[in-house]
Amino acid sequence: MRFQLMFIIVLFLWNCEDKQTSKNSNTTVVKDTISKEKPTQKKKTKKTSKFPVLTDANAMEFFLEYDKEHKENKVRLTTDFGDIDLLLYDKTKFHRSNFIYLTKRKYFDGTQFYRVVKDFIIQGGSSDGLDLYKKRRKIGKYLLPPDTKRGYTHQRGSISMPSSEIENAYKLASPFQFFIVVNREKAKHLDGDYTVFGEVIKGMDVVDKINAVKTDDGNWPVNNVYIRKVEIIE
């Protein structure tokens, strides 16, 4: 009698477990069916730039390859005071390639000559505009090492690259900025520390006009001097 009772209890529990398992299975099947019946949605894909984001780790290798296919070496700066034509030196390949690359990315368009020191230099490539940060972020964050042993010195009309705003013992250059020398005698001390990578071939009168503008105590022109565009020329 006790045996029969135990058998009945075991049978009852087995039936209950089987029903629960079937219920779970059915639920799973229903979920799968619903999942399969849902219309497929196209995944939104981010638009990726064909240009890499440059860093200190990849910039030099990038410009080494870029130099092989982009041999342009003349550019025109259209400013509020007229045009300035530059010849960029092939020997300073990383600095030339960097300037050509930024020109093609239209980085300089809308920037300013933001530092003007009387009878010394005019410095460009920055801005007080809100879009400057966005431009730089898309291009990347990197510095260029100096290349000062090519025989070029800071003559009147030389274009050179200032060191980074970050203090560094190696005079690593800010790739987004440049300066043009107005007075050779007052620029001799720059030789050996800053990379001369080109020269003005036309428009020194425009450089002199910009150098004569009124500035505030921080050497920023009282009235902004814009670089409207920079373009490759033959």
Side-chain angles (χ1 to χ4, degrees):
M1 183 72 178
R2 182 179 294 178
F3 175 79
Q4 289 178 340
L5 181 60
M6 289 293 294
F7 178 78
I8 292 170
I9 292 172
V10 170
L11 184 61
F12 175 79
L13 292 174
W14 183 83
N15 283 333
C16 287
E17 185 180 357
D18 183 59
K19 286 177 182 178
Q20 186 65 35
T21 304
S22 298
K23 184 177 179 182
N24 288 339
S25 299
N26 289 340
T27 303
T28 303
V29 171
V30 170
K31 285 182 179 178
D32 286 346
T33 304
I34 292 172
S35 175
K36 289 176 182 177
E37 289 176 354
K38 281 184 178 179
T40 55
Q41 295 180 347
K42 291 183 180 179
K43 289 183 179 180
K44 292 181 179 179
T45 54
K46 276 187 175 182
K47 291 183 179 179
T48 55
S49 171
K50 61 180 179 179
F51 303 107
V53 175
L54 297 179
T55 65
D56 287 333
N58 68 8
M60 298 303 288
E61 183 179 354
F62 172 79
F63 287 123
L64 191 63
E65 291 301 313
Y66 192 83
D67 174 73
K68 294 177 182 178
E69 303 210 3
H70 300 266
K71 297 295 185 181
E72 301 93 339
N73 63 356
K74 290 180 183 177
V75 296
R76 174 168 294 152
L77 283 60
T78 300
T79 80
D80 289 342
F81 288 80
D83 294 345
I84 305 169
D85 292 353
L86 305 175
L87 170 67
L88 308 180
Y89 301 142
D90 294 331
K91 286 183 180 180
T92 51
K93 64 172 61 180
F94 292 109
H95 294 71
R96 182 197 64 79
S97 295
N98 174 75
F99 202 91
I100 293 297
Y101 177 68
L102 294 180
T103 295
K104 290 186 175 182
R105 293 291 303 267
K106 299 189 180 301
Y107 166 77
F108 295 114
D109 296 5
T111 58
Q112 300 169 24
F113 280 105
Y114 65 95
R115 182 170 178 250
V116 172
V117 183
K118 184 71 174 174
D119 294 326
F120 180 39
I121 59 144
I122 62 172
Q123 188 162 316
S126 193
S127 168
D128 56 1
L130 296 176
D131 63 336
L132 185 70
Y133 171 73
K134 293 180 181 178
K135 280 185 178 182
R136 290 187 180 184
R137 187 176 60 181
K138 287 180 181 178
I139 293 168
K141 186 178 181 181
Y142 61 101
L143 298 175
L144 294 177
D147 191 3
T148 60
K149 301 187 184 299
R150 304 293 179 181
Y152 304 123
T153 57
H154 288 80
Q155 306 284 340
R156 173 173 162 81
S158 295
I159 177 171
S160 186
M161 194 167 286
S163 55
S164 166
E165 294 172 357
I166 302 170
E167 290 292 332
N168 67 84
Y170 300 102
K171 297 291 183 182
L172 299 178
S174 169
F176 299 110
Q177 300 166 358
F178 63 92
F179 64 87
I180 299 174
V181 176
V182 176
N183 188 318
R184 158 63 177 152
E185 295 305 316
K186 291 187 178 181
K188 287 180 179 180
H189 64 287
L190 302 178
D191 294 345
D193 286 334
Y194 302 92
T195 302
V196 175
F197 65 99
E199 65 184 74
V200 174
I201 54 176
K202 185 180 179 182
M204 270 308 292
D205 59 324
V206 176
V207 173
D208 289 334
K209 287 176 184 177
I210 295 172
N211 190 245
V213 301
K214 186 177 180 181
T215 61
D216 62 18
D217 293 339
N219 296 319
W220 194 294
V222 173
N223 297 311
N224 289 337
V225 180
Y226 286 97
I227 301 171
R228 298 299 175 178
K229 66 177 179 178
V230 178
E231 58 189 328
I232 310 292
I233 58 175
E234 294 295 330

